[in-house]
Amino acid sequence: MLKKMIFTGMIHDAYGYANTPDANNLPHHNEEPNLQAQKFYKLLEDAETELYLGCKNVSKLSFVVRLLHLKCLNHWTNKSMDDLLSFFKEVLPVESFVPNSFYEAKKMEVKREWRQESSYKVMRHFPIKPRLQRLYMARETAKKMRWHKEERVDDGILRHPSDAMAWKSFDEKHPSFSAELRNVRLGLACDGFQPYGNMSSNNSIWLVVLVPYNLPSWDCMKSEYFMMTLLIPGPKCPGNDIDVYLQPMIEELRELWEGAETYDAHSKSNFMMCAAIMWTINDFPAYGNLSGWSTKGKFACPCCHKDTQSISLRSKLCYMGHRRLLPLDHPWRKNRRLFDGKVEKGVAPNPLTGDDVLMQLQGLGNVTFGKGQKRKRNAPNNAYNSKKKSIFFELPYWKTLLLRHNLDVMHIEKNVSHNILSIVMNVDGKTKDTLKIRYDLVDLGIRQGSHPIQDGNNVLLPAACYALSSEEKLKVCNFLANLKVPDAF
């Protein structure tokens, strides 16, 4: 019985969701399931069917899967498999469900649908459409996929992506999509890692993962519902060339925007399921790779874009003008002592819309992908820091999104907060208040009381920003505790 449950679980893993295997997943027909759903329900029946009457440990499906597994491990030929199956037919009871040949056994196998695309490296592409369709083939999961519309409490508090302005803006601009509550909203996360840790820097693997946001907030972030769609291994990260690897996924997403026939086990009916990516989620370097806006140089900030305020200090660029993002009546705008000795009168830059981005990119021309390719020196001035036109703009709805790219929480709240706290609390070995920073204050001509003092052969550092009173430190801690992740465009 346990082995049967394991192989039933394999079907759920292969088909992209984590329902408990039980009779509720079998169809109670009002409308005939489509072909894709029929195949799934047939596999569920095979996983519950005994290989022969009285066989409790092996089901019809588990027998075939384990036999094919042994064939692969031991390099059996197709003919040897046919001979082995013929022998089993002779030994086992006549009413057993042993396949007649290797060809017949292979047709029963649980297949993870994937294809390999050749580009600069070997890549695995795992199709999205069948896994999204299979979310609706189980009654409980199909019901959960309606949660964002039928059960969500809309009281103005942000608890789920469907409460966000970006979601509501998408609904207003695409009413035909939002009219069908079963259409799937997706988030795309992309990042790389070294599979061997710090032992080797010659290997890099990049994952592209999709998350369905229709589910409740306590389910949509579970690993069972994460859908890996691309696996990009290689000696280096794909960088700007990631658009080459994203092509099969983008092609499939364009098809999903038009719709795919799907069987809904909850309502027992077929419908046309559409899907759309609401935004991407990544760290700052990956942000540049996906958006096409370089996160280096004097225009590195994608929010401020051409209005980024930067100055060169010795061997690095520093980005200034943060106080212009505050409300016009904020007291810090007038505070000369704590900042650069000036009153801030600037206003926050206007975020770029999709049409603004496309207008900037008109003169950029075709970008040649591949390592060693550099941007042309005669690129138009209005392209600013753009390296390419992102492949996501091939999606019909991409330019209409209010928020196309997000920076992940860890790099905003965790890392930035830790750095600020290390400075304020003067944490030994972690504070950023170093001699180089003090010389930057000298170059800027501000905060003379914090400039380094030459005492013979020694350099002394006067007390700086971390020399605060207990009350002031408490205020900083409270501020960091309430820090919110800023939007990135």
Side-chain angles (χ1 to χ4, degrees):
M1 184 64 181
L2 177 61
K3 291 183 179 179
K4 287 185 181 180
M5 291 183 64
I6 292 173
F7 277 92
T8 308
M10 283 176 54
I11 300 173
H12 289 283
D13 290 340
Y15 281 78
Y17 56 84
N19 270 26
T20 304
D22 56 33
N24 289 333
N25 292 327
L26 299 177
H28 303 280
H29 303 303
N30 279 9
E31 185 176 342
E32 187 70 20
N34 58 32
L35 183 61
Q36 184 76 9
Q38 289 176 18
K39 291 180 180 179
F40 169 71
Y41 293 131
K42 181 64 170 63
L43 280 175
L44 277 182
E45 291 177 4
D46 290 343
E48 296 293 331
T49 304
E50 295 177 349
L51 182 63
Y52 56 85
L53 188 63
C55 180
K56 302 299 182 183
N57 294 326
V58 182
S59 69
K60 178 181 176 182
L61 178 64
S62 66
F63 174 80
V64 172
V65 172
R66 292 179 67 182
L67 201 60
L68 292 174
H69 184 214
L70 290 172
K71 177 186 184 299
C72 294
L73 290 178
N74 298 286
H75 308 289
W76 295 347
T77 63
N78 294 353
K79 184 178 183 305
S80 65
M81 275 288 290
D82 289 339
D83 293 341
L84 182 62
L85 289 170
S86 298
F87 175 68
F88 279 135
K89 295 286 285 188
E90 295 176 7
V91 173
L92 295 177
V94 178
E95 69 275 7
S96 67
F97 292 100
V98 175
N100 295 312
S101 65
F102 168 66
Y103 175 75
E104 184 179 329
K106 195 167 62 171
K107 289 197 299 183
M108 289 177 55
E109 184 185 7
V110 180
K111 293 183 179 179
R112 285 185 179 269
E113 301 177 28
W114 63 273
R115 67 177 182 264
Q116 179 174 309
E117 301 288 342
S118 234
S119 52
Y120 301 114
K121 308 173 189 172
V122 177
M123 181 189 73
R124 297 288 190 271
H125 172 226
F126 302 85
I128 311 163
K129 183 173 72 173
R131 286 182 285 174
L132 292 180
Q133 289 176 318
R134 291 158 191 165
L135 286 172
Y136 284 99
M137 291 180 190
R139 294 171 64 188
E140 290 301 318
T141 308
K143 183 179 179 181
K144 288 180 180 179
M145 291 293 285
R146 302 163 176 262
W147 181 90
H148 69 99
K149 190 72 173 180
E150 293 182 342
E151 300 182 42
R152 176 179 62 90
V153 178
D154 189 5
D155 56 1
I157 298 176
L158 183 61
R159 300 187 183 92
H160 186 269
S162 55
D163 296 317
M165 291 177 58
W167 186 297
K168 296 175 181 178
S169 171
F170 185 87
D171 286 347
E172 292 175 2
K173 294 174 182 176
H174 304 282
S176 59
F177 183 93
S178 58
E180 174 55 77
L181 58 87
R182 293 172 291 186
N183 286 338
V184 184
R185 321 290 183 105
L186 298 167
L188 183 147
C190 178
D191 203 358
F193 68 95
Q194 292 182 1
Y196 306 108
N198 295 326
M199 296 174 61
S200 172
S201 59
N202 295 326
N203 292 276
S204 173
I205 294 182
W206 278 67
L207 303 177
V208 179
V209 179
L210 295 174
V211 181
Y213 285 139
N214 296 47
L215 297 164
S217 52
W218 52 88
D219 276 334
C220 66
M221 288 294 108
K222 287 183 178 178
S223 59
E224 296 95 319
Y225 296 103
F226 287 5
M227 299 181 183
M228 184 175 67
T229 180
L230 288 176
L231 179 65
I232 311 170
K236 296 181 180 179
C237 69
N240 198 46
D241 299 334
I242 197 169
D243 283 14
V244 177
Y245 308 108
L246 292 173
Q247 287 178 5
M249 183 195 72
I250 295 295
E251 180 182 346
E252 191 176 11
L253 286 168
R254 292 176 65 178
E255 295 174 3
L256 283 170
W257 180 248
E258 300 298 328
E261 185 182 18
T262 303
Y263 180 72
D264 182 355
H266 178 67
S267 63
K268 306 180 185 65
S269 62
N270 293 300
F271 73 104
M272 291 300 291
M273 177 196 69
C274 301
I277 291 184
M278 303 299 293
W279 46 67
T280 71
I281 310 165
N282 28 254
D283 60 14
F284 204 47
Y287 181 109
N289 298 337
L290 292 177
S291 67
W293 182 271
S294 175
T295 53
K296 301 176 182 178
K298 63 179 182 179
F299 296 124
C301 178
C303 298
C304 300
H305 44 91
K306 63 182 179 62
D307 296 319
T308 302
Q309 292 185 4
S310 60
I311 60 173
S312 178
L313 285 178
R314 303 193 180 199
S315 60
K316 60 181 178 293
L317 281 171
C318 292
Y319 303 96
M320 315 296 286
H322 305 93
R323 286 186 293 162
R324 61 183 174 156
L325 302 176
L326 296 171
L328 293 175
D329 58 348
H330 199 284
W332 282 2
R333 280 180 169 266
K334 298 180 180 180
N335 195 313
R336 301 171 183 264
R337 182 182 63 85
L338 291 179
F339 297 97
D340 57 2
K342 300 176 183 177
V343 175
E344 180 59 70
K345 298 181 179 179
V347 295
N350 292 322
L352 288 176
T353 64
D355 290 326
D356 293 336
V357 174
L358 292 175
M359 189 174 297
Q360 278 191 6
L361 296 172
Q362 282 180 352
L364 189 60
N366 295 325
V367 176
T368 304
F369 293 104
K371 296 300 180 184
Q373 302 291 337
K374 295 184 178 180
R375 187 176 130 183
K376 298 178 181 179
R377 292 187 179 273
N378 59 351
N381 292 330
N382 64 344
Y384 300 104
N385 236 30
S386 297
K387 301 180 292 184
K388 63 182 179 183
K389 179 182 176 181
S390 173
I391 193 172
F392 286 100
F393 279 103
E394 294 184 10
L395 299 174
Y397 52 86
W398 192 253
K399 70 175 184 179
T400 67
L401 297 180
L402 181 64
L403 177 62
R404 292 179 290 279
H405 303 281
N406 287 279
L407 295 175
D408 62 77
V409 173
M410 181 186 72
H411 291 83
I412 298 300
E413 291 192 343
K414 180 178 179 292
N415 293 359
V416 173
S417 298
H418 280 192
N419 288 341
I420 295 175
L421 280 174
S422 296
I423 295 174
V424 172
M425 301 301 179
N426 193 25
V427 179
D428 187 30
K430 294 185 178 181
T431 179
K432 304 298 180 181
D433 184 20
T434 61
L435 184 60
K436 290 184 178 180
I437 298 296
R438 298 301 184 92
Y439 280 121
D440 289 342
L441 298 179
V442 175
D443 294 341
L444 290 170
I446 60 176
R447 299 195 180 186
Q448 285 77 10
S450 298
H451 291 181
I453 301 171
Q454 190 75 33
D455 183 16
N457 295 328
N458 299 322
V459 178
L460 303 179
L461 297 183
C465 60
Y466 57 80
L468 303 176
S469 65
S470 299
E471 183 180 351
E472 290 172 324
K473 288 183 179 181
L474 182 60
K475 288 182 180 179
V476 172
C477 292
N478 289 335
F479 169 76
L480 293 175
N482 296 317
L483 185 65
K484 303 298 181 183
V485 179
D487 294 339
F489 294 89

